[in-house]
Amino acid sequence: MPRVFLVVLDSVGIGGAPDAHLFFNHDTPDTGANTVGHIAEACANGTGDKEGLRAGPLHLPNLTRLGLGKAVELASGAVPPNLETESVAGRYAAASEVSNGKDTPSGHWEIAGVPVPFDWGYFPDTKPAFPDDLMHDFISQAGLPGTLCNEHGSGTVVIAEYGLEHIASGKPIVYTSADSVLQIAAHEEHFGLERLYEICKVARKLIDPLNIGRVIARPFVGETVETFKRTPNRKDYAVPPPEPTVLNRVQDAGNRVIALGKLGDIFAMHGIDEVRKVPGIEPLFDVLMGTLEGEKAAQDGDLVFANFVEFDSEFGHRRNIPGYADALERFDRQLPRFMDAMKEGDLLMLTADHGNDPSWVGTDHTRERVPVLMLAKDLEPGSAGVRTTFADIGETAAKWLGLPAGKHGTSIL
């Protein structure tokens, strides 16, 4: 019996989105953004070097062997430096997104077979960003003395700017971004982690009429600007997908969906049986290995759906090219462990949910195609071309597991 391991490398886009000109970072369209391609170019010319971290050309031998360089070529027309290969071990493709957003829920839902059929609500890039009546009701219903920030901002920047005032006043830091999101930062100890979660639930109810995709709790610790640090206890409060996804089809067949990382929050726990969540690329890869073999391994017919968020949260949004390159190389070094332990009937699928080009202007996601890299013992390697929707990824997983086909995509198999 088959198993599927669907792994999202959060924000590892490969450029070439045909509608990139319709999406912006500030006033700059995303035309030409290419997360993997620009990281590889920076590493080739030395601007991807950082003393004590990494140096030299981007070194991804295992992802390259699975077809990453060739997927970038499909998406953007050229193989990035040092990702060239004569032959590949896996089936590869490039996929375009049809959902009208470059955000986390849109990308993941479409990967799971359900493109977003509506436009999200967004908060304007003004100060204040949030409507007065929304903030009044939030403060009243959450029992708060007020809020801080109330504008677009980077999470680390707003904590540095407002953290001390937050500790002194008890007012949470409320901010947004170009995504459909309301984010709330608060100190885990001075404000309280559970209290932060509770006020996020209040905010979630209040913004439902505005069609905002997520409320995100952003806890942090530290006592000074220099020591403030966000913790792994982030929690997303998302609206559920608009219709059943491939996750629900797995459950309907009597099997389980094991979510790794922040997947449970992204799907509002719809179609998910168990969440296993740890911070860091290597620790989460260890958890992924535990779903492949051992006492907690996935069983026949199960779907393991993982999200490695650090590429996006730690390096893409912070426009950190050396850090992003190092993260990709660290992930690549882990891959042989998984590939060598795969059993007959196992399908590994590596993909992404959007781009976040660290060489780009601004700090927001970039509209890009994503790679689809597949490996199984009996899967013939080679190109599967450019796919017109991420939903083909979910339909491929469904076909491998012998599930009924959905209505939004076509299996690559």
Side-chain angles (χ1 to χ4, degrees):
M1 285 286 289
R3 301 183 296 179
V4 171
F5 301 85
L6 175 53
V7 178
V8 176
L9 308 184
D10 202 306
S11 86
V12 182
I14 55 176
D19 57 359
H21 62 287
L22 301 176
F23 296 82
F24 292 82
N25 265 262
H26 300 304
D27 295 328
T28 302
D30 288 341
T31 307
N34 186 334
T35 299
V36 172
H38 288 158
I39 292 171
E41 290 172 4
C43 292
N45 66 32
T47 57
D49 296 354
K50 184 176 181 180
E51 186 175 355
L53 182 67
R54 69 162 313 279
L58 187 64
H59 187 60
L60 305 175
N62 300 299
L63 287 167
T64 299
R65 186 161 64 95
L66 290 177
L68 178 59
K70 290 186 175 294
V72 180
E73 184 179 28
L74 284 174
S76 303
V79 178
N82 214 46
L83 299 187
E84 304 91 349
T85 183
E86 290 297 322
S87 61
V88 296
R91 183 82 60 87
Y92 63 90
S96 301
E97 186 172 8
V98 298
S99 299
N100 189 25
K102 52 178 179 176
D103 53 88
T104 296
S106 295
H108 281 80
W109 294 357
E110 190 168 328
I111 288 170
V114 179
V116 177
F118 52 79
D119 290 331
W120 294 108
Y122 299 91
F123 294 112
D125 192 359
T126 57
K127 186 172 176 64
F130 304 113
D132 290 342
D133 57 346
L134 172 63
M135 286 295 96
H136 177 272
D137 291 345
F138 175 57
I139 291 167
S140 174
Q141 294 183 29
L144 298 168
T147 62
L148 301 173
C149 190
N150 197 350
E151 60 184 308
H152 281 234
S154 163
T156 53
V157 172
V158 300
I159 289 170
E161 184 174 354
Y162 295 100
L164 292 176
E165 185 179 356
H166 158 69
I167 292 172
S169 68
K171 299 177 182 178
I173 304 165
V174 183
Y175 63 106
T176 187
S177 71
D179 284 353
S180 181
V181 65
L182 186 154
Q183 305 192 71
I184 306 176
H187 199 282
E188 280 199 2
E189 297 161 1
H190 294 287
F191 189 86
L193 183 61
E194 292 304 321
R195 186 182 179 203
L196 172 59
Y197 291 161
E198 288 302 317
I199 68 172
C200 284
K201 293 176 184 177
V202 173
R204 175 70 267 172
K205 292 179 181 178
L206 290 172
I207 65 172
D208 278 346
L210 303 177
N211 208 29
I212 303 298
R214 289 179 294 166
V215 173
I216 304 179
R218 292 286 196 177
F220 67 99
V221 294
E223 299 300 323
T224 65
V225 172
E226 293 74 23
T227 60
F228 286 152
K229 182 180 181 180
R230 295 199 296 195
T231 76
N233 294 320
R234 160 184 171 161
K235 188 172 179 61
D236 293 31
Y237 297 83
V239 296
E243 61 183 84
T245 67
V246 67
L247 284 65
N248 302 104
R249 280 180 265 164
V250 171
Q251 291 183 326
D252 290 345
N255 298 308
R256 301 173 69 239
V257 176
I258 303 171
L260 310 188
K262 65 176 184 176
L263 262 301
D265 293 341
I266 295 170
F267 287 88
M269 290 304 295
H270 284 231
I272 291 174
D273 295 286
E274 181 183 352
V275 174
R276 303 177 190 176
K277 188 175 182 181
V278 296
I281 291 173
E282 289 82 2
L284 189 59
F285 205 98
D286 288 341
V287 174
L288 177 62
M289 288 299 300
T291 67
L292 183 64
E293 54 187 359
E295 295 181 358
K296 295 184 177 181
Q299 303 302 305
D300 293 342
D302 287 351
L303 169 65
V304 176
F305 199 173
N307 174 283
F308 283 76
V309 71
E310 281 80 11
F311 302 106
D312 184 58
S313 61
E314 298 297 320
F315 309 111
H317 285 300
R318 301 186 191 188
R319 297 303 188 248
N320 182 343
I321 294 175
Y324 207 134
D326 175 68
L328 286 169
E329 291 170 338
R330 286 160 45 209
F331 182 87
D332 190 87
R333 288 195 292 270
Q334 300 295 318
L335 270 175
R337 300 169 54 199
F338 192 94
M339 295 188 294
D340 291 346
M342 289 175 66
K343 298 177 174 60
E344 197 76 31
D346 289 344
L347 174 66
L348 171 64
M349 305 183 74
L350 301 175
T351 189
D353 53 340
H354 48 69
N356 202 346
D357 189 339
S359 74
W360 212 244
V361 66
T363 59
D364 297 320
H365 297 151
T366 43
R367 181 73 163 190
E368 301 180 40
R369 285 179 169 136
V370 301
V372 186
L373 312 179
M374 297 174 288
L375 182 70
K377 292 188 182 300
D378 296 325
L379 184 63
E380 183 178 352
S383 173
V386 176
R387 316 301 297 191
T388 58
T389 171
F390 291 3
D392 289 358
I393 302 167
E395 292 311 313
T396 302
K399 184 171 183 178
W400 189 267
L401 294 173
L403 303 175
K407 60 184 180 180
H408 297 294
T410 304
S411 171
I412 299 171
L413 301 174

